Amino acid sequence: MNFSGNQAAIIDVLFTLIPILIVALLLRWVRIIRVNSEIQIEQNKEIISLLKEIKEKNNVN
């Protein structure tokens, strides 16, 4: 395919920007997973403490 100078420049820019955008999206995705994992860890700790409280109340009775 023969591209004019302007078309070739646009294609060059796209081939440069696409990998950058993919990396940016992957980094954002990893950050979201990390934040959600931290939230889940805190929720799990709370669930464990509540289960321990329930167990202690059942053992007393």
Side-chain angles (χ1 to χ4, degrees):
M1 282 196 275
N2 292 332
F3 293 112
S4 68
N6 196 21
Q7 289 174 331
I10 291 171
I11 291 173
D12 286 342
V13 168
L14 287 176
F15 279 128
T16 303
L17 289 179
I18 289 174
I20 293 170
L21 289 173
I22 290 172
V23 169
L25 290 173
L26 285 174
L27 289 175
R28 182 175 181 272
W29 179 61
V30 168
R31 183 182 172 278
I32 289 170
I33 289 175
R34 189 177 138 253
V35 169
N36 288 341
S37 294
E38 291 173 359
I39 292 170
Q40 188 174 10
I41 288 170
E42 292 303 316
Q43 290 173 341
N44 288 343
K45 287 179 183 178
E46 182 67 24
I47 289 169
I48 290 170
S49 69
L50 291 171
L51 288 171
K52 285 180 180 179
E53 286 179 25
I54 291 171
K55 181 180 176 185
E56 289 173 4
K57 287 179 184 178
N58 285 340
N59 286 341
V60 170
N61 294 334

